[in-house]
């Protein structure tokens, strides 16, 4: 019995803890795109991203609904990187938008506002698109808001 106890103690001391894997996507559902100029740190019309190569500072950014957590994730498609909305929080964090986002739209000619349909909150909300690029300081003239609906949009 003593040998078994000693063996278990030694085995427990030698095991290393499994690394914590940061959460990424939780039930992604819908996507929308906008064009971002990383050199000028500015949103651009979607047409400005057509035909650009990977060395260009102007590239696509994708927004992906996270229906399990009520968030929208941001992906820089120019460099294929998921963006962390708040680096102070360990792991990936995304922009909280409601309960169950079911759709999102970024107007192609004026990407300053993103519209998000939320089934759980039964509303359509709008937020400044620069909120999804953590390196931007908001210069949006539009403030966030919402319109309540009698039923959840699908």
């Amino acid at each position: 019995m003593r040998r078994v106890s000693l063996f278990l103690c030694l085995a427990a001391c030698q095991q290393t803890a499994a690394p914590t894997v940061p959460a990424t996507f939780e039930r992604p559902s819908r996507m929308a795109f906008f064009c971002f100029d990383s050199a000028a740190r500015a949103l651009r019309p979607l047409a400005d991203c057509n035909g650009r190569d990977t060395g260009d500072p102007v590239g696509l950014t994708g927004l992906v609904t996270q229906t399990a957590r009520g968030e929208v994730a941001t992906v820089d498609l120019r460099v294929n990187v998921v963006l962390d909305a708040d680096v102070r929080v360990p792991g990936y964090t995304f922009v909280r938008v409601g309960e169950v986002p079911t759709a999102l739209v970024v107007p192609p000619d004026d990407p300053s506002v993103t519209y998000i349909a939320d089934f759980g909150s039964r509303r359509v909300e709008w937020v400044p698109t620069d909120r999804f690029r953590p390196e931007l300081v908001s210069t949006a003239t539009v403030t966030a808001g919402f319109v309540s609906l009698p039923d959840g949009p699908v």
Side-chain angles (χ1 to χ4, degrees):
M1 183 70 171
R2 193 174 205 191
R3 286 184 180 176
V4 172
S5 298
L6 181 61
F7 175 75
L8 290 176
C9 287
L10 289 175
C13 292
Q14 293 176 355
Q15 291 179 350
T16 57
T20 304
V21 177
T24 53
F25 288 174
E26 294 280 340
R27 283 193 359 226
S29 176
R30 303 282 187 214
M31 273 189 93
F33 302 96
F34 64 90
C35 191
F36 180 71
D37 185 341
S38 60
R41 291 187 171 195
L43 303 171
R44 305 273 295 269
L46 194 57
D48 288 356
C49 284
N50 290 341
R52 304 277 183 164
D53 65 15
T54 56
D56 197 320
V58 177
L60 273 178
T61 299
L63 300 177
V64 184
T65 59
Q66 305 297 298
T67 57
R69 294 192 308 234
E71 299 173 330
V72 172
T74 308
V75 181
D76 188 335
L77 297 170
R78 187 178 61 83
V79 291
N80 296 325
V81 173
V82 177
L83 300 179
D84 191 359
D86 189 352
V87 295
R88 298 172 297 169
V89 177
Y92 283 95
T93 57
F94 304 126
V95 177
R96 186 99 174 114
V97 294
E99 294 176 32
V100 183
T102 54
L104 65 159
V105 173
V106 180
D109 294 331
D110 181 13
S112 62
V113 177
T114 299
Y115 299 93
I116 304 157
D118 192 312
F119 181 80
S121 301
R122 292 187 292 184
R123 64 188 192 178
V124 174
E125 61 183 281
W126 57 90
V127 296
T129 304
D130 58 8
R131 181 175 174 198
F132 298 105
R133 292 295 305 209
E135 70 272 21
L136 287 178
V137 175
S138 181
T139 59
T141 57
V142 176
T143 57
F146 66 90
V147 174
S148 295
L149 303 171
D151 291 315
V154 291

